[in-house]
Amino acid sequence: MDLFRVKSIDSMLAQRETAGLRKSLSTFDLVMLGVGAVVGSGIFILTGTGSLIAGPALSLSFVLAAIACFFSALSYAEFSSSLPVSGSVYTYVYATLGELPAWLIGWILILEFGLAASAVAAGWSGYLQSLIAGFGLHLPEALRAAPGAVAGSASLFNLPAFLVLAAITALLSLGVRQSKRVNNAMVVIKILVVVLFIAAGATHVRTENWTPFMPYGMSGVYAGAALMFYAFIGFDAVASSAEEVRNPQRSLPLGILGSLLICTVLYVLVTLVMTGIVPYQDFTANSDHPVSLALQRTGQLGLAGVVDLGAILGMTTVILVMSYGLTRILYAMARDGLLPRRLASLHPRHATPFTLTWTVGLAFALIAGLIPLAVLAELINIGTLTAFALISLAVIVLRRTHPELRRGFRCPGVPYVPLAAVVCCVFLIAHLDRITWLAFCVWLLAGLAVYFLYSRRKAVLAGEPVTPPGR
């Protein structure tokens, strides 16, 4: 029974007031955080690969993925407004389903947020090299990409990807106030660049490029949605900031749902314009800058350079937010004793988990330098879809076990809407490759080993009477 002991909601809320993290985030900051996390390599990079899978109907794939996200986002909004503490879905599951499910989802979130930061850093590197190549500058071949990322290349290490993650780690270690200012500025620029691409590219759209609209039928749309779900990853990072929000009951639901709506509209418009300019067959699986490629086809080389720059800034915010979310989840796990508790210590001046931030940041910087983007993307998807399914189940449990809990937002249609989220997530997971499933199972087995060998004994709740789920 101690595998499913739950953490008291009262103790969680008390921790929020005594933890020491500075509460400096507003509703605007959270929307910017969500957009900053979502609009990145999914739209600037993977749309080329997605077009080969779904054709011009990739825009429908985005809509399908957004629907799956929206159902889960409603559950996130209820939980974050009810339990505004660090840890996101890990904390929510700990309060409803118990310790072992919480540990497993925390372990999966390490996969989601950490590999997402690494994957986006790899994409960031591709756009940076595309930009500087316009000025005749090139890195040594050995330092351009991860081993095996480019066929026939002798590259050994992605140096730009490593360096950008190291720089983001340094910024996060200084505090959330400094980080949010940098994020807000870059998100505004990123949105302006995306709108500029839509406006400039729309005049060059050839509608015949949209025919046939679904060259691979609905199966292509589904497969595209399973891949492009990656493009929506990040809005859930808003929930991980809960302990640093001034008015969490109001701001967190608006930040989560508002950022998801903005990003969906931008994604659909960008995809329609891009596939209207460039026939979907002309993209390649290894294209690392399909959006600027579309502008290059129109002869707007200067504007393509602006898009490259906007993509670089845009992906920088994704790396920033995903790294931030990861540190706050691990901070919550360390505070609960499931990871070494010294990792939860805060810097006396910056009020950040300083040691944890640097340890995690450098580890995933090395992953970004050594593992190709294509290998990372689907692993991130399966981890995120699993997390979304679990939080949807957890909100049903929360309604039954804590009906009196003050909620700033209530997910409509419980249990039907959360169950619809579970169905959507399972449907998309089923369209991922077998090798992704195998790697995911290996990751889960490693997580179980860590839990039973270390975390179960060291947990803060280990010395307390067992409280089962539903009590």
Side-chain angles (χ1 to χ4, degrees):
M1 181 63 72
D2 65 336
L3 298 179
F4 299 95
R5 56 196 174 202
V6 296
K7 190 175 179 183
S8 162
I9 287 180
D10 290 338
S11 69
M12 290 182 177
L13 295 175
Q15 270 185 326
R16 168 184 165 82
E17 301 306 321
T18 60
L21 294 172
R22 291 173 182 159
K23 297 171 179 58
S24 58
L25 297 176
S26 65
T27 301
F28 176 78
D29 295 328
L30 293 180
V31 173
M32 291 294 100
L33 203 67
V35 176
V38 175
V39 179
S41 59
I43 188 66
F44 287 118
I45 297 175
L46 287 183
T47 42
T49 303
S51 295
L52 294 175
I53 296 173
L58 183 62
S59 56
L60 294 183
S61 297
F62 273 119
V63 172
L64 181 60
I67 290 171
C69 288
F70 180 73
F71 286 148
S72 298
L74 293 171
S75 296
Y76 269 102
E78 174 164 337
F79 262 113
S80 62
S81 67
S82 308
L83 292 175
V85 294
S86 290
S88 186
V89 64
Y90 155 77
T91 300
Y92 309 149
V93 170
Y94 210 162
T96 52
L97 303 181
E99 185 173 283
L100 179 58
W103 164 261
L104 287 175
I105 200 61
W107 188 253
I108 291 169
L109 289 173
I110 296 173
L111 188 75
E112 175 193 344
F113 284 81
L115 292 189
S118 299
V120 176
W124 184 94
S125 174
Y127 266 91
L128 177 68
Q129 293 181 62
S130 171
L131 180 65
I132 65 175
F135 298 94
L137 302 174
H138 302 277
L139 291 174
E141 186 175 7
L143 301 177
R144 294 178 187 174
V150 181
S153 171
S155 187
L156 300 174
F157 189 72
N158 195 329
L159 181 61
F162 175 85
L163 291 178
V164 70
L165 255 173
I168 291 296
T169 299
L171 177 61
L172 287 173
S173 69
L174 297 178
V176 69
R177 186 175 300 169
Q178 293 83 349
S179 301
K180 78 170 185 180
R181 290 171 181 165
V182 173
N183 178 73
N184 290 353
M186 289 193 291
V187 168
V188 170
I189 296 172
K190 173 167 61 175
I191 292 175
L192 290 175
V193 168
V194 171
V195 172
L196 179 63
F197 167 78
I198 294 170
T203 60
H204 295 272
V205 167
R206 298 172 60 190
T207 54
E208 58 266 29
N209 289 335
W210 291 338
T211 305
F213 189 69
M214 291 194 294
Y216 307 109
M218 286 304 298
S219 61
V221 175
Y222 297 148
L227 176 65
M228 300 317 300
F229 186 84
Y230 168 80
F232 288 96
I233 292 172
F235 76 85
D236 52 327
V238 174
S240 67
S241 70
E243 219 161 292
E244 294 157 279
V245 179
R246 290 196 290 265
N247 184 5
Q249 282 75 25
R250 177 179 181 274
S251 297
L252 283 164
L254 288 174
I256 292 170
L257 298 173
S259 59
L260 182 59
L261 176 62
I262 292 170
C263 294
T264 301
V265 172
L266 292 177
Y267 280 179
V268 170
L269 292 177
V270 166
T271 306
L272 287 173
V273 171
M274 190 183 75
T275 55
I277 296 173
V278 181
Y280 71 91
Q281 306 95 324
D282 290 2
F283 291 106
T284 67
N286 294 322
S287 176
D288 56 4
H289 52 284
V291 176
S292 62
L293 173 64
L295 289 177
Q296 290 169 10
R297 286 289 185 93
T298 68
Q300 301 178 83
L301 300 182
L303 190 55
V306 172
V307 169
D308 278 346
L309 180 59
I312 291 169
L313 292 176
M315 285 186 282
T316 303
T317 66
V318 178
I319 301 168
L320 173 65
V321 179
M322 300 308 282
S323 299
Y324 166 75
L326 176 61
T327 61
R328 295 317 187 254
I329 291 165
L330 293 177
Y331 166 74
M333 295 174 74
R335 189 168 61 182
D336 292 335
L338 299 182
L339 293 174
R341 297 194 69 184
R342 63 180 177 273
L343 294 177
S345 60
L346 300 181
H347 192 281
R349 178 182 175 187
H350 304 306
T352 61
F354 196 85
T355 302
L356 185 151
T357 300
W358 275 105
T359 301
V360 172
L362 292 180
F364 283 100
L366 285 172
I367 290 175
L370 294 170
I371 300 181
L373 171 64
V375 175
L376 298 173
E378 286 206 354
L379 267 177
I380 299 165
N381 280 0
I382 195 169
T384 306
L385 286 164
T386 304
F388 284 7
L390 270 179
I391 193 174
S392 300
L393 292 174
V395 80
I396 298 173
V397 175
L398 185 70
R399 286 289 185 91
R400 294 185 60 188
T401 58
H402 295 84
E404 79 294 343
L405 186 65
R406 181 191 173 197
R407 291 165 167 85
F409 177 89
R410 296 179 68 90
C411 175
V414 175
Y416 305 108
V417 169
L419 288 175
V422 174
V423 171
C424 289
C425 291
V426 171
F427 179 79
L428 292 177
I429 288 174
H431 284 79
L432 296 174
D433 289 341
R434 289 182 181 178
I435 188 65
T436 303
W437 274 94
L438 178 61
F440 184 63
C441 289
V442 170
W443 179 256
L444 285 182
L445 289 175
L448 286 171
V450 174
Y451 177 76
F452 284 106
L453 293 175
Y454 176 86
S455 303
R456 184 183 179 188
R457 294 180 294 105
K458 298 291 186 178
V460 171
L461 295 187
E464 300 181 3
V466 176
T467 303
R471 294 288 301 277

